Structures are given as structure tokens and as C-alpha cells.
Amino acid sequence: MKILLIGATGTIGKAVAARLGTEHEIIAAGYTEGNVQVDLADADSIKAMFELVGKVDAVISTAGLANFAPLHALSDDDYQLGLSNKLMGQVNLVRYGADYIKLGGSITLTSGVLARKPIPGSASVSMVNGALESFVRAAALELHQLRLNVVAPVFVKETMAMMGIDTEGGVSAADTAIAYEVAVTGDMHGQTLDITDYI
């Protein structure tokens, strides 16, 4: 399969590329690096990426920005970042990318466990993740030529270690990549894949 991987240079993206790259052709997309560049917050950038890459069998997004902060400290800009980048950026991958997916192909987005298991400081992130999962369930009802799913990672051990946080309770990027492989090679549609169900 030819797979367009957005966020390919990130921690999860690298692991997904390593897992799928042995059997499939990976086109790496990143903000400043990769085979093609894309800004998720810019609809024209997303359109240009698809025009450049052309038809693919699958799209995977492991990208998207949203800010953590206590509820009282979240600014308009904090909320807008999550809405315009992680939420609408990935929604637009579906809106503008569906016509570039070969019949029977798939699009896999990324939300996060905070949609259903929030923690203090996650109001904006949890909001965006929950909206993505609802979007996938609803949009899947109208997408018959392709499969649409979303993967919900937990905290990745490598990121936790970089932040100086105890990694117990986290999942490695390599294990996280398993769910993305299942989403691409499986037959589910309109589903949220929780990482912990696949390790």
C-alpha cells in the first residue's frame, strides 16, 4: 500500500513509519520535514499536499497541536490552537483527502485517551479529542468508499521520559503503532481504537 503519514517525524509517527514501512510505501509529511510539508492549521496547505502526493491507499495522521493548562489559565489562543490545528486540521484531512483515497482505502486520525479520561489541565485537549471521536463516528455514516477511524493513544513513554515524568502507566511509541497498523489493515469503520486494547 501507499500510505501518506502526516506527523511522520514525531515520536508516534516515527514508530508508525517503522512498523508499516517494511511492507508498505510511506510518504512522510511533516510541518518542516519529510517528503512533503503540510500545515494542519492551513486548509490550502492540506489541499496542496494532496494535489502533490496524488492517490494513496491510506492516510494516517499522528499530528495535531493542543495546549495543556489549568482551566482558569486557558486563553482564547490556547483554545483556538487545538480547534484550528488538531481538530479542524484532521477534519480537513478527511474533507479534502477523501477524493484522493483509492476505493476501499482508509483514513486514520489521532485523538487521545483524555477524551474519556481527562486529567486536571486537559480541558482544551480533552474537548478536541472528544470532538474528533464524535466526528469520526458521524462522518463514517456518509463515507462508503473508504474507512475512517481514529486512534486514541495514552501518554507515550518516550514523551513522558523527556518531560521528566514517571513512565509507569505510559505505552511505548512502538506499542502505540500497533493500533495504527490495525486501523489500516483491518475492516473497522467509524471506530475509536484505544491503544490499550491492542497491546
Side-chain angles (χ1 to χ4, degrees), residues 72-88:
H72 70 274
L74 283 166
S75 67
D76 289 350
D77 287 344
D78 288 324
Y79 281 110
Q80 192 57 50
L81 174 67
L83 291 170
S84 63
N85 193 295
K86 186 169 186 180
L87 177 56
M88 283 310 301

Side-chain angles (χ1 to χ4, degrees), residues 19-20 147 177-188 193 198:
R19 186 170 187 90
L20 293 173
R147 296 182 301 104
I178 295 170
Y180 289 91
E181 181 179 39
V182 171
V184 170
T185 61
D187 60 3
M188 63 282 293
L193 285 70
Y198 298 94

Side-chain angles (χ1 to χ4, degrees), residues 86-131:
K86 186 169 186 180
L87 177 56
M88 283 310 301
Q90 293 192 92
V91 167
N92 284 338
L93 290 176
V94 178
R95 295 176 65 212
Y96 304 129
D99 289 340
Y100 291 89
I101 307 297
K102 293 177 185 176
L103 187 64
S106 67
I107 299 177
T108 304
L109 307 180
T110 295
S111 61
V113 70
L114 294 173
R116 281 152 288 119
K117 294 181 180 178
I119 59 174
S122 75
S124 177
V125 181
S126 296
M127 174 188 72
V128 167
N129 288 346

